[in-house]
Amino acid sequence: TFSIISKALNAFRPRPTSPECPPIVVSQGLQEQLDYAQPAEPVWHAAEYECAGAESLGACLRIDTGDGIWVCCCGHENPLVHYQGAFPFKYLKCGRCDRILCPNCRTSEILTPIQSITTEVLEDRFNKPADEVRYCRVCRACGLTHRAAIDGGQIDFSHAPCPCGKVGTEDGSYFHIGEVDAWRRDPPARAVELSLARTMAASMRYMEKQ
Ligand SMILES: [Zn+2]
Ligand SMILES: [Zn+2]
Ligand SMILES: [Zn+2]
């Protein structure tokens, strides 16, 4: 673990910038960590879930369920997979429009937005040292997700500056890593619900502006 941490820290060293270089460099150490990250949630067995929304078990099995879904502002449904380690969802960049997850997007329980990391009431089970902390933030500058630490009963991100060098912690950047079960029980229905919720919220915002 120590070598992973020191690798990660090395990735945060400021680099000299020159105009020809693109600003975001994913260091080899970081890329390696992302490549080797193992799924954090138990393997999905279709038989354990009813898949009520699917017409048949066959239809249910064809769905690449993952651990949840992110419905982007552009309407694209991005699968979410929770990984072990410091970067629980790797980079959250939309597969269609390239935008980074924002507060107007909708996500299933695995990424449940929290109002504030200071007022969030921690559940006891997150204080067990054996469990990985089920809180994370997304860097709104580059999309990389960072797992929180719990320090003195507080959610803490001070150990994890983003390798992109930007602060990137606007409102709506913090999440509780929720259960996968609600999603896996009925992925098609949950995806439709979230898409509708996103569209409704977008039209409400539009009407408020009129
Ligand atoms: Zn998108
Ligand atoms: Zn969005
Ligand atoms: Zn970043």
Side-chain angles (χ1 to χ4, degrees):
T1 318
F2 181 75
S3 77
I4 291 174
I5 293 169
S6 67
K7 251 188 207 168
L9 287 175
N10 280 333
F12 303 142
R13 267 193 212 132
R15 334 160 165 271
T17 48
S18 78
E20 309 93 67
C21 290
I24 296 176
V25 181
V26 177
S27 78
Q28 220 183 350
L30 172 60
Q31 193 56 56
E32 243 169 62
Q33 277 191 69
L34 295 176
D35 290 347
Y36 289 104
Q38 295 297 309
E41 302 296 335
V43 178
W44 188 78
H45 296 292
E48 288 170 19
Y49 298 92
E50 281 181 24
C51 257
E55 286 146 31
S56 64
L57 187 63
C60 174
L61 287 170
R62 275 199 301 278
I63 302 156
D64 181 11
T65 52
D67 299 326
I69 196 172
W70 154 31
V71 183
C72 178
C73 289
C74 75
H76 187 63
E77 298 179 358
N78 297 277
L80 292 172
V81 177
H82 177 204
Y83 292 95
Q84 297 172 18
F87 311 107
F89 296 90
K90 302 185 178 179
Y91 282 94
L92 290 180
K93 247 188 191 187
C94 176
R96 182 160 81 190
C97 72
D98 238 28
R99 269 180 285 195
I100 289 159
L101 178 73
C102 85
N104 296 333
C105 299
R106 287 293 176 272
T107 45
S108 61
E109 288 73 8
I110 196 79
L111 270 183
T112 302
I114 58 171
Q115 287 301 315
S116 141
I117 53 170
T118 48
T119 57
E120 174 74 6
V121 179
L122 298 180
E123 290 178 38
D124 282 346
R125 62 197 176 95
F126 302 126
N127 292 323
K128 277 190 219 149
D131 289 346
E132 285 197 292
V133 175
R134 294 189 73 99
Y135 285 98
C136 67
R137 76 171 182 94
V138 60
C139 171
R140 295 279 293 283
C142 75
L144 186 60
T145 50
H146 298 266
R147 191 182 298 279
I150 302 287
D151 190 12
Q154 289 285 311
I155 303 172
D156 182 48
F157 287 99
S158 56
H159 64 290
C162 194
C164 77
K166 308 245 171 63
V167 179
T169 51
E170 301 156 44
D171 282 357
S173 307
Y174 299 102
F175 299 88
H176 169 224
I177 303 176
E179 305 292 328
V180 288
D181 281 9
W183 161 251
R184 289 179 175 182
R185 216 172 291 135
D186 196 352
R190 197 73 187 97
V192 169
E193 256 172 49
L194 289 165
S195 291
L196 279 176
R198 185 200 63 82
T199 316
M200 293 277 285
S203 35
M204 291 295 280
R205 282 195 303 279
Y206 176 78
M207 276 156 64
E208 273 161 23
K209 268 189 234 151
Q210 300 303 299

